[in-house]
């Protein structure tokens, strides 16, 4: 089955850190731009970060810029999201997806309709 397997979520205090991992299963992510998305109940899944396949360039949504860092290790077929200075509003289920239409993140925020191979997600809860 072609999908991602996300892990690394959990409970963190405001100001704390978590590192999410996203392992590709059933395919090689080398040729794909990969996006991290998050979703809270009752709201649409939103893209927060993206890393290109070609040059490794990245995109960050304004609310996470300077706090989150996306990276990829193609040899491990894995993409990471380092989350620092966590805020209460970062609480969500986090998912990664592969962009089936573009190899670059230069076009701006990740858009749901361009991505597929969703995994089950990993829950991040920020609470004091």
């Amino acid at each position: 089955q072609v999908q991602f397997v996300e892990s690394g979520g959990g409970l963190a205090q405001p100001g704390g850190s978590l590192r999410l991992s996203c392992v590709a299963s059933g395919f090689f992510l080398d040729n794909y731009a990969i996006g991290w998305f998050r979703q809270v109940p009752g709201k649409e899944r939103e893209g927060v970060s993206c890393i290109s396949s070609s040059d490794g360039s990245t995109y960050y949504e304004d609310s996470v810029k300077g706090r989150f860092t996306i990276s990829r290790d193609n040899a491990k077929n894995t993409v990471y999201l380092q989350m620092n200075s966590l805020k209460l509003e970062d609480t969500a289920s986090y998912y990664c997806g592969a962009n089936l239409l573009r190899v670059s993140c230069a076009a701006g925020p990740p858009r749901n309709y361009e991505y597929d191979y969703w995994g089950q997600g990993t829950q991040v809860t920020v609470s004091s």
Side-chain angles (χ1 to χ4, degrees), residues 19 22 29-30 51 71-80:
R19 188 193 194 204
C22 175
L29 53 73
D30 307 44
I51 185 165
S71 61
R72 63 193 298 158
D73 185 338
N74 289 340
K76 295 184 178 179
N77 225 22
T78 302
V79 174
Y80 303 96

Side-chain angles (χ1 to χ4, degrees), residues 1 4 42 48 64-66 72 90 100 110 118:
Q1 188 174 1
F4 283 106
V48 295
V64 307
K65 199 173 294 182
R72 63 193 298 158
D90 294 322
L100 303 187
W118 304 104

